[in-house]
Amino acid sequence: MAEHTIIGKSVRKVDGIELVTGKAKFTADMKFPGMLYGYELRAGVPAGIIESIDASEALKEPGVHMVLTAKDLLGPNLIGVLPPFDQPVLPDREIRYAGESIALVVADTREGAKRACRNIKAVITPIEPILTMEQALAEDARKIHPQGNVTFSRTLTKGNVEQGFAEADVVIEGSYTTTFQDHCYIEPEIACAVPSGDNRITLYVSCQSPFHIRGHVAANLNVPASKVKVVQAYTGGSFGGKDDAAVEIGILAGTAALKLGRPVTIAHEREESIAGTNVRHAAEIAYKTGARKDGTITARQVKVLLDGGAYASESPFVTMKAMIHASGPYAIDHIEVESTSVYTNKTYAGAFRGFGVPQVTFASESEIDELAKHLGIDPLELRRKNGLKAGDKTATSQVYDQSVGYLQTLDAVEPSLRETGTKENDGRYLYGTGIASVIQGISNGAEGVDVVGASVQMSQDASVLVGCGLAEMGQGSRTVFSQIAAEVLGIPVDWVTVRQVDTDAVHDSGPTVASRSTTVGGMAVKQAAETVRQSLVKMASLMFKTDESMIVLKEGFAVLTVDDTARIPLRDVATAAYWTGFPLMHLAFSQAEPADFDHDTHQGRVYIAYNFGTHLMHVKVDRYTGEVEVLKHVASHDVGKVVNPMAASGQVEGASLIGFALGHMEKVEYKDGIIQNPTFADYAFPSIRDRIPTETIFVEDPTPHGPYGAKGIGEPPVAAAAAAFANAVSQAVGHRFTHIPITREDIAAVLQEEV
Amino acid sequence: MINTRIIHHEFSYSNPGTLAEALELNNEPGSTVLAGGTDLINRLKLETATPSRIIYLAGIRELWDFCCDDGLKIGAMVPMRRVEKCRTVQQRYPGLYEALSSVGGWQIRNMATIAGNIANASPAADSSPVLMVCGAECEISSMDSKKNVLSRIMPVADLFAGPGKTHLADNEIITAILVPPLGSDVGTAFERSARVKLDVAKASAAVCLHREGTRCADIAVAVGSVGPVPLRAGTVEGMLKGAVMEKKRIEDAAEVIADDITPIDDVRSTKKYRNHVMKILVRDALISAWKRSGGGELK
């Protein structure tokens, strides 16, 4: 393989300095002359009918400019991810969750807008809310949406599970549940709409899918998409959580801005972020697994129920993803997975790092450990025996002839099994070890076309501007794109700037989701850079009066292959190329190989690649208090090729912490359809002081579909960390926990009953 | 603009330079004082505090005084972090050190004050139980209608009237916390349980133990987050006062903590767990305090 100078090296985040010094301007830092502020009035009841909304008192307050309700909106008042859309921007009649916005007040100040909200008289007739999936699926249940309470339901069928169970010596069954989790990004959702004299409107917004927002905002402002410009401001985390909300507040701010002819900002409070916008689906999952005595898994039958809350949002895709991943990274001949998402009168669930995979992985990996116990086989050996290899058929019967590094991830963590450290043995502490594996599809795959457009533009001084429609939201795509452009063009990383996403200036690249930035986005940057490189090489060959094959670009120079001292600075080459008329900018498209599968059985080609991983955790459990300390956490993932070890490890550490928190502490608590802990005072999630000692071991089994063989890493560790935590604690306590989070209270309750 | 919770409630704001000015302003009904603000600001955001006037105490020089020569005198504006970093506190009042260092993160402790922590009267306040067991007192000031400055001293243990409520009169301000000197045969300890490091305690326990040989000559135990106010654990104390200290006796004493507390279910924990974990926290604090009082390994 070719030697790389920048790919594979730990390059610091290219936008790190401005972020930590406060120079980066977030949407909340933006001020425009005459700017007004919007604040949303929320329903407060989980289900009800809006009889009337009287804003006359609120409008009398000084500084209040406008109150918007459903009837004031300019477009179809309909948003969502997948048609037919089911979510109003502001409901005109039926309220489907307590955090739903029903009106927007626009005032001189945020404080004034919030105060005025209190003086809006909304008459709402409450209706009996549907708060559990069981209630929603009851035969005589009230329909939350006209088509019923099933949001989306699909079944994956591979082989014949009846036959598979008949071949089994052992069949075990288990039921598992998980809870809602909030994204908890540091920056709540925010959008600022600025109208301009040319009848356009610019939205500065914290988001991850700018073109998705542009489309919805234009449709709901009833203007052509080309009249809307979306600029992604620096984004303080998103993890899947910002797009629905950005669409909602983008439309509201845009509507108010158009009507008033003034800039309008809407910034959510934390409570609005937790109670008003999407969360991770809670799940009820039933597994049945059959195996021969030697450990060969013959069949898995899974039933997944996902509580999607009031609106569909990403539920259909999450339902699909959970279904495709439910059987785990194992080669199993007979699989049947029925996956269903359900409407309830709770905050809608949508995208969240992992996207349905953490829920099923926790359940699946718990069950694999139970099977191992049942068969008397070591849990790691059982996984190894069944693990997918190149040439095996996945759950969708897709065969990869390379980049299936699952078994190597087992090998990577295996030595750490024995590194348990010293154990205090005064009877107070229980020790346990858990491993868990994950498979996670990279790219949109079955969720739709996957195209990224990226431009690379070299200036005459040889500095480079990269534009791509994918958003930097902390995951490091700017850094990775810089590295790729620098590698191809033979320049230092700091000669490259990756511009912010502005829908006027970059190509629609779809949503920034599915761990696809490095893989699909990186490929587009690489292709665009390669085309620019051709101009440089051609120019240099004219300048050297030699063949193009004699030229390499490195360290900012065109260099002769035969004489390392024969160098022309690239700025001279670029300048000459410009004056000669060679193009120095290129827009390239990378399209992932489209999915192609049977829509009844879901057999076929689904993802361009999978990330495989195995996590190992050693835990120490305080027998008396139920307190858990993670003593060691080893996370191994097959990422194809590591573009930036430091950034990739950072992704593994961050995603693992979210997974650990999902496994141990985080839960959105409801009482009568109202969230009880919508603030950071009441919602427990880890801070830097609670971080776990993650060590990352990368496996590199390259994929032909990613740049330099790279596959995404942003999401997969969430699932594996949550599942490994559950397995470790279950082993330490000697009790199978079938619900996450497994809190201290849960652990202490089990241990007390033992005593 | 910062996109966090909006304080939409309107109020007047004063920044007096002397205690007398602050006390005079504080005679106005509906006024409240601001020290570190780590609690008041949240209450303003949550609208559990809706003062008509906020009096910021930072301009009053004497409230920044911190003296640790003979006991501790901690002015109302002294940040927790300064007390926590004091070597005398670390060495002589380890229980207080443990309590302070478990409050939030550094950023919070660089702002938060002990006076504010107790005046807020949260049953979960980390410093309250330990101040109670150490016999700490509040120095309290007010101004009468003739503009005379009045002062009085009240034990911290007598301060709490209910969740968020103290026995301070509306016009009174805590100006300092006084902690008596502790002898070398006195041990203090603090234990807490919380969901994450930066969370309010779901249960906490503080112990101050005076050792005489192998006996516990005097003992105070106080617990937090398990009742409407921080509570003294009289039943536990009764089983240990004057007793020869043994592991079994400590465990037995910790078991009866349930008689002294009235925990509830909330988002942080359950009544059941609090009843259970409190035994462990009390036990661990007792053992730790005993060791710090110079008592050897327990049999």
Side-chain angles (χ1 to χ4, degrees):
Chain A
M1 197 184 286
E3 278 293 303
H4 302 307
T5 56
I6 296 163
I7 298 299
K9 302 288 188 301
S10 283
V11 172
R12 283 199 182 187
K13 247 176 110 54
V14 295
D15 47 359
I17 301 275
E18 66 250 38
L19 286 165
V20 298
T21 55
K23 283 183 187 155
K25 295 292 175 227
F26 291 81
T27 309
D29 297 317
M30 293 180 188
K31 292 246 183 344
F32 296 92
M35 191 160 87
L36 303 173
Y37 298 87
Y39 191 85
E40 295 157 272
L41 174 67
R42 291 177 189 272
V45 295
I49 301 296
I50 301 172
E51 306 293 349
S52 63
I53 298 176
D54 174 6
S56 53
E57 287 303 310
L59 284 165
K60 282 180 199 158
E61 289 192 34
V64 173
H65 292 259
M66 170 179 275
V67 176
L68 286 180
T69 59
K71 65 177 173 11
D72 305 309
L73 298 175
L74 303 166
N77 189 15
L78 207 55
I79 53 177
V81 175
L82 189 69
F85 302 141
D86 66 355
Q87 185 168 1
V89 183
L90 297 173
D92 59 350
R93 184 172 170 275
E94 184 171 347
I95 288 160
R96 297 188 177 86
Y97 72 102
E100 188 160 18
S101 303
I102 58 173
L104 177 82
V105 177
V106 183
D108 286 338
T109 64
R110 287 179 85 205
E111 292 77 6
K114 186 173 180 180
R115 272 196 299 274
C117 259
R118 304 290 166 94
N119 289 325
I120 295 176
K121 290 193 195 77
V123 180
I124 298 167
T125 306
I127 46 185
E128 186 65 26
I130 293 173
L131 298 175
T132 66
M133 290 195 276
E134 196 185 344
Q135 289 168 6
L137 294 173
E139 248 174 53
D140 55 347
R142 175 176 62 81
K143 290 178 176 174
I144 295 173
H145 289 274
Q147 75 273 26
N149 294 337
V150 171
T151 316
F152 194 82
S153 187
R154 289 290 183 275
T155 302
L156 176 149
T157 310
K158 178 187 180 189
N160 177 336
V161 282
E162 296 311 320
Q163 188 193 329
F165 287 123
E167 291 170 10
D169 298 315
V170 169
V171 175
I172 62 161
E173 294 186 57
S175 294
Y176 304 88
T177 54
T178 73
T179 49
F180 298 107
Q181 184 183 25
D182 189 73
H183 305 80
C184 297
Y185 21 72
I186 197 163
E187 179 206 30
E189 305 84 15
I190 182 167
C192 170
V194 184
S196 54
D198 54 357
N199 290 319
R200 298 192 73 201
I201 187 152
T202 301
L203 273 173
Y204 298 90
V205 59
S206 176
C207 68
Q208 64 182 77
S209 303
F211 286 89
H212 172 77
I213 293 166
R214 184 179 73 167
H216 269 304
V217 169
N220 280 284
L221 296 185
N222 205 9
V223 299
S226 54
K227 292 286 183 195
V228 177
K229 167 167 140 175
V230 174
V231 179
Q232 185 224 355
Y234 283 91
T235 295
S238 185
F239 313 116
K242 277 188 175 155
D243 279 345
D244 300 85
V247 164
E248 178 192 323
I249 60 179
I251 293 166
L252 290 174
T255 305
L258 277 189
K259 288 187 173 227
L260 294 165
R262 290 173 70 169
V264 175
T265 286
I266 301 174
H268 277 168
E269 301 182 308
R270 183 62 61 187
E271 290 88 328
E272 298 181 279
S273 180
I274 294 179
T277 76
N278 71 320
V279 293
R280 189 191 298 284
H281 292 74
E284 294 173 11
I285 309 169
Y287 269 81
K288 184 174 171 186
T289 304
R292 293 204 195 95
K293 277 183 193 144
D294 70 355
T296 307
I297 298 173
T298 57
R300 295 198 96 176
Q301 190 171 26
V302 190
K303 206 171 164 179
V304 183
L305 275 181
L306 297 164
D307 189 339
Y311 294 104
S313 178
E314 296 269 4
S315 276
F317 294 146
V318 173
T319 309
M320 287 271 280
K321 201 145 196 167
M323 175 184 77
I324 291 164
H325 293 76
S327 54
Y330 307 111
I332 303 169
D333 290 337
H334 306 288
I335 300 171
E336 186 181 290
V337 186
E338 183 190 320
S339 186
T340 304
S341 45
V342 177
Y343 289 121
T344 58
N345 287 124
K346 288 184 280 193
T347 300
Y348 61 94
F352 189 172
R353 200 173 191 174
F355 212 74
V357 178
Q359 294 94 322
V360 293
T361 301
F362 151 66
S364 168
E365 291 298 294
S366 295
E367 181 115 326
I368 294 289
D369 265 22
E370 286 300 295
L371 181 65
K373 204 162 100 186
H374 219 85
L375 294 167
I377 299 177
D378 176 78
L380 192 141
E381 287 310 320
L382 181 63
R383 288 173 170 87
R384 184 175 275 147
K385 182 163 188 68
N386 292 284
L388 276 169
K389 302 179 291 294
D392 287 343
K393 285 182 176 174
T394 65
T396 70
S397 297
Q398 187 169 358
V399 176
Y400 296 90
D401 53 16
Q402 59 174 303
S403 203
V404 184
Y406 172 52
L407 296 182
Q408 293 101 293
T409 67
L410 286 170
D411 298 342
V413 304
E414 191 170 16
S416 303
L417 269 177
R418 291 176 293 277
E419 292 168 18
T420 51
T422 43
K423 297 180 179 178
E424 279 178 74
N425 225 340
D426 63 352
R428 177 160 184 169
Y429 299 105
L430 302 166
Y431 294 85
T433 299
I435 58 165
S437 298
V438 65
I439 174 171
Q440 179 125 23
I442 300 304
S443 78
N444 292 344
E447 295 145 37
V449 285
D450 198 328
V451 181
V452 173
S455 63
V456 170
Q457 178 196 62
M458 183 173 268
S459 306
Q460 290 185 48
D461 66 356
S463 68
V464 163
L465 183 67
V466 175
C468 177
L470 297 176
E472 166 68 70
M473 46 199 178
Q475 86 278 39
S477 57
R478 274 187 170 155
T479 308
V480 165
F481 294 163
S482 297
Q483 284 180 266
I484 291 171
E487 178 76 39
V488 171
L489 295 165
I491 56 175
V493 172
D494 60 8
W495 291 14
V496 184
T497 299
V498 180
R499 57 160 302 143
Q500 74 183 151
V501 180
D502 169 339
T503 55
D504 277 12
V506 298
H507 199 278
D508 188 345
S509 301
T512 312
V513 297
S515 302
R516 67 191 277 265
S517 293
T518 295
T519 317
V520 188
M523 209 67 160
V525 173
K526 183 164 180 271
Q527 287 165 11
E530 279 166 351
T531 303
V532 172
R533 185 180 189 279
Q534 284 168 13
S535 290
L536 298 175
V537 170
K538 196 164 138 192
M539 190 66 237
S541 81
L542 294 175
M543 294 165 90
F544 275 120
K545 298 187 174 59
T546 181
D547 196 76
E548 287 180 23
S549 65
M550 302 292 286
I551 312 263
V552 290
L553 306 184
K554 64 176 190 181
E555 295 153 17
F557 293 89
V559 184
L560 279 186
T561 52
V562 292
D563 179 2
D564 200 55
T565 61
R567 296 177 165 225
I568 305 174
L570 274 181
R571 62 171 184 275
D572 295 346
V573 180
T575 303
Y578 170 76
W579 288 106
T580 312
F582 293 164
L584 287 173
M585 180 169 180
H586 186 71
L587 175 64
F589 294 90
S590 152
Q591 177 166 12
E593 195 183 23
D596 177 16
F597 59 91
D598 182 295
H599 285 259
D600 288 326
T601 60
H602 300 91
Q603 296 298 293
R605 204 169 62 221
V606 178
Y607 297 108
I608 53 170
Y610 283 101
N611 177 303
F612 297 92
T614 301
H615 286 209
L616 176 145
M617 255 188 221
H618 292 307
V619 298
K620 173 181 172 187
V621 178
D622 185 325
R623 180 194 289 277
Y624 302 143
T625 64
E627 190 172 344
V628 184
E629 185 186 346
V630 177
L631 300 172
K632 191 177 180 77
H633 174 223
V634 183
S636 180
H637 285 271
D638 169 21
V639 295
K641 165 77 188 171
V642 183
V643 176
N644 183 334
M646 182 165 65
S649 300
Q651 284 294 293
V652 175
E653 288 164 27
S656 293
L657 193 58
I658 287 180
F660 162 74
L662 175 68
H664 189 29
M665 61 188 62
E666 284 192 45
K667 47 181 167 182
V668 176
E669 302 241 34
Y670 277 94
K671 190 179 168 199
D672 303 327
I674 310 284
I675 294 176
Q676 301 298 298
N677 54 344
T679 68
F680 280 175
D682 289 333
Y683 184 93
F685 73 108
S687 72
I688 191 77
R689 287 173 60 194
D690 302 289
R691 78 185 199 282
I692 54 175
T694 303
E695 301 162 39
T696 306
I697 304 173
F698 287 116
V699 168
E700 295 185 312
D701 191 342
T703 173
H705 300 287
Y708 307 96
K711 302 189 281 192
I713 184 61
E715 297 177 277
V718 175
F725 177 81
N727 280 344
V729 171
S730 293
Q731 202 223 30
V733 176
H735 168 90
R736 170 58 53 189
F737 290 95
T738 57
H739 173 78
I740 48 172
I742 305 164
T743 64
R744 283 183 202 177
E745 280 76 2
D746 298 330
I747 295 166
V750 167
L751 289 169
Q752 262 180 286
E753 264 156 39
E754 254 182 24
V755 177
Chain B
M1 182 186 64
I2 296 166
N3 54 332
T4 176
R5 180 95 188 194
I6 302 164
I7 300 175
H8 75 280
H9 168 76
E10 290 189 295
F11 52 83
S12 314
Y13 176 80
S14 310
N15 192 0
T18 66
L19 182 60
E21 281 174 65
L23 293 172
E24 188 172 356
L25 287 162
N26 202 34
N27 277 335
E28 191 182 296
S31 57
T32 196
V33 293
L34 168 67
T38 55
D39 207 89
L40 180 63
I41 303 298
N42 287 337
R43 289 171 56 217
L44 292 170
K45 289 176 174 179
L46 294 170
E47 298 169 79
T48 53
T50 51
S52 55
R53 176 179 298 279
I54 288 177
I55 305 159
Y56 189 32
L57 302 179
I60 306 165
R61 182 173 292 177
E62 63 264 36
L63 300 188
W64 291 90
D65 288 345
F66 174 42
C67 168
C68 54
D69 296 338
D70 180 30
L72 305 175
K73 182 176 180 183
I74 307 161
M77 278 306 302
V78 176
M80 283 185 178
R81 185 97 176 119
R82 193 170 153 211
V83 181
E84 173 199 344
K85 283 160 108 176
C86 165
R87 290 191 59 183
T88 306
V89 170
Q90 291 173 8
Q91 287 163 5
R92 292 304 317 131
Y93 303 86
L96 180 60
Y97 170 76
E98 285 167 336
L100 296 178
S101 58
S102 60
V103 175
W106 289 0
Q107 296 93 330
I108 291 291
R109 304 205 294 277
N110 279 330
M111 296 297 292
T113 66
I114 298 176
N117 195 226
I118 61 170
N120 177 47
S122 162
D126 286 313
S127 61
S128 298
V130 74
L131 291 171
M132 285 164 70
V133 297
C134 290
E137 296 168 320
C138 322
E139 186 187 87
I140 297 164
S141 293
S142 60
M143 181 177 275
D144 68 13
S145 54
K146 291 171 190 152
K147 304 207 172 174
N148 296 313
V149 173
L150 311 176
S151 283
R152 65 176 181 132
I153 300 288
M154 181 196 274
V156 171
D158 295 343
L159 185 67
F160 309 110
K165 292 194 177 68
T166 65
H167 289 297
L168 291 177
D170 283 347
N171 68 340
E172 286 184 316
I173 295 175
I174 297 175
T175 50
I177 308 295
L178 311 168
V179 190
L182 301 180
S184 60
D185 49 4
V186 174
T188 60
F190 175 79
E191 294 283 339
R192 85 201 286 265
S193 176
R195 296 172 301 177
V196 286
K197 296 272 183 355
L198 296 187
D199 194 13
V200 171
K202 58 174 89 174
S204 64
V207 169
C208 181
L209 187 152
H210 185 176
R211 182 184 61 86
E212 273 179 15
T214 57
R215 273 177 204 285
C216 164
D218 199 4
I219 184 152
V221 179
V223 291
S225 294
V226 285
V229 294
L231 301 164
R232 278 287 285 268
T235 319
V236 178
E237 292 171 0
M239 282 185 63
L240 294 171
K241 192 169 176 180
V244 173
M245 291 295 267
E246 292 166 339
K247 208 169 178 180
K248 177 79 172 65
R249 178 167 286 276
I250 287 179
E251 275 165 11
D252 290 346
E255 279 295 314
V256 303
I257 185 68
D259 296 345
D260 290 322
I261 60 178
T262 54
I264 56 165
D265 290 330
D266 65 14
V267 293
R268 287 194 179 74
S269 191
T270 61
K271 177 180 173 176
K272 185 181 168 203
Y273 182 78
R274 285 182 161 119
N275 268 319
H276 166 72
V277 80
M278 192 48 93
K279 295 174 195 166
I280 313 303
L281 298 178
V282 167
R283 193 196 78 143
D284 289 353
L286 285 168
I287 292 171
S288 180
W290 173 254
K291 285 182 182 161
R292 287 169 183 170
S293 73
E297 279 299 315
L298 287 159
K299 281 177 196 154

